[in-house]
Amino acid sequence: MIRRSVLTGAGAAALLGVSGQRVARADTLDEVKKRGTLTIGTEAAYVPYEFFKDGKIIGYDPDIADLMVPKIGAKAQFIDTAWSGIIPALYAKKFDCIISAMTITKERAEKVLFSMPYADASNMILLRADEDRIKTADDLSGKIIGVQLGSAAAGIIKVFEAKLKAAGKPGYASVKQYDHYPEAYQDLLNKRTDAVVNSRSTMMVVMRDAPGKFKMISGISDITAYFGMAFRKDDTALRDFVNSQLAAMKQDGTLGKLQEKWFGGTMQTPNTVPEVLP
């Protein structure tokens, strides 16, 4: 999915308030070592990154955390959190960091400190397999589009609609926003929407788990996007530790094996946050 993007309303106001006070502390890594637990904010409703199974949060992100965190003598504890308030909750110290398939966007990078990318978040357009009206992204003109509320994709489709209108084409017929993406996929199958926009890696799993029902096309964005782990702006030590672990996992092939496990394929990601962000 690009997944999940912009904070608005009260959540944004709350974040501006706490970030202005500089409440984050640079010694969070030391605190984690002392307490023996790294608390991690996540929204456990994003297969295969993080989701509940048999009462436990599992997925690509928890697997990465379970390999990294013991290196500092601690255990990972995931805290299920509503996506719309996850960054304010980070600054309210409800947890130490966010590991939740968060797309690295320009707006978010002004609020949090990101790790190096660890998965591809480029947006794609998911269609029904028998859809013959939509062959390119431009054909979304006049169609009903589905995205998750507050997602990065929700911002991406607005930018693309502006491009359609600038080219003299109609915008979307409407945009349907969902609390969780599985609802959007079901509505797509039921022909309540014409297309769903989400990250490539997530679409790979949707298509794998429902063979023959969907197809996907590109063109909704010309910027390659990535997922990163997020930290309070002052927590450079914790971010640097995570970067060192991600670099090692890329180097020895561990990250690729986890990607094969959860997505059925590997992804190429840079070791630094790109200068051009969606």
Side-chain angles (χ1 to χ4, degrees):
M1 47 181 201
I2 276 181
R3 154 171 170 165
R4 346 211 235 193
S5 175
V6 180
L7 288 170
T8 58
L15 176 59
L16 289 173
V18 298
S19 61
Q21 297 171 28
R22 306 292 288 177
V23 298
R25 298 174 59 189
D27 61 353
T28 297
L29 180 61
D30 288 337
E31 293 176 2
V32 169
K33 291 177 179 178
K34 290 176 182 177
R35 88 168 84 99
T37 303
L38 176 72
T39 54
I40 301 166
T42 196
E43 185 193 49
Y46 200 62
V47 179
Y49 285 90
E50 50 272 323
F51 59 101
F52 278 100
K53 184 176 181 180
D54 299 328
K56 182 181 179 182
I57 297 175
I58 66 169
Y60 178 61
D61 284 342
D63 274 6
I64 293 174
D66 286 343
L67 290 173
M68 289 195 304
V69 179
K71 300 292 180 63
I72 52 174
K75 294 182 179 180
Q77 178 185 351
F78 278 83
I79 299 174
D80 191 26
T81 305
W83 187 254
S84 60
I86 200 164
I87 293 180
L90 174 66
Y91 277 92
K93 303 202 79 172
K94 298 294 180 63
F95 35 77
D96 302 312
C97 63
I98 298 169
I99 304 180
S100 190
M102 178 173 280
T103 305
I104 305 172
T105 65
K106 183 177 180 180
E107 183 171 353
R108 283 185 181 141
E110 294 174 355
K111 301 177 175 71
V112 298
L113 195 63
F114 276 110
S115 71
M116 68 169 67
Y118 70 103
D120 189 333
S122 297
N123 275 296
M124 300 289 286
I125 302 163
L126 188 71
L127 305 169
R128 292 183 295 276
D130 61 358
E131 175 63 71
D132 58 7
R133 302 166 301 160
I134 303 172
K135 294 180 173 59
T136 71
D138 285 359
D139 295 329
L140 294 179
S141 174
K143 305 301 191 297
I144 303 171
I145 314 301
V147 292
Q148 183 181 358
L149 179 67
S151 69
I156 290 291
I157 64 169
K158 288 181 180 179
V159 173
F160 188 75
E161 184 177 35
K163 290 182 180 179
L164 288 175
K165 292 179 177 178
K169 299 179 181 180
Y172 311 128
S174 64
V175 173
K176 296 187 70 173
Q177 300 197 57
Y178 299 85
D179 288 334
H180 304 104
Y181 264 110
E183 302 158 17
Y185 306 142
Q186 192 60 51
D187 266 7
L188 179 60
L189 286 177
N190 292 335
K191 299 188 176 181
R192 298 190 182 101
T193 61
D194 299 310
V196 172
V197 178
N198 201 346
S199 73
R200 180 194 301 272
S201 56
T202 303
M203 301 296 199
M204 288 166 58
V205 178
V206 172
M207 294 177 66
R208 181 196 68 190
D209 292 346
K213 292 185 177 182
F214 298 106
K215 62 184 177 182
M216 63 178 173
I217 62 173
S218 60
I220 195 70
S221 175
D222 55 6
I223 299 175
T224 302
Y226 299 100
F227 291 125
M229 303 175 184
F231 309 85
R232 291 183 287 268
K233 281 285 190 177
D234 287 345
D235 280 335
T236 54
L238 184 56
R239 189 277 314 271
D240 290 348
F241 163 74
V242 167
N243 273 351
S244 70
Q245 295 303 305
L246 288 174
M249 292 171 74
K250 289 182 184 182
Q251 182 74 24
D252 67 14
T254 300
L255 202 63
K257 290 178 182 177
L258 291 180
Q259 290 168 358
E260 288 279 4
K261 171 184 175 180
W262 290 107
F263 304 101
T266 61
M267 303 172 231
Q268 295 297 317
T269 56
N271 281 354
T272 57
V273 174
E275 292 184 9
V276 179
L277 297 173

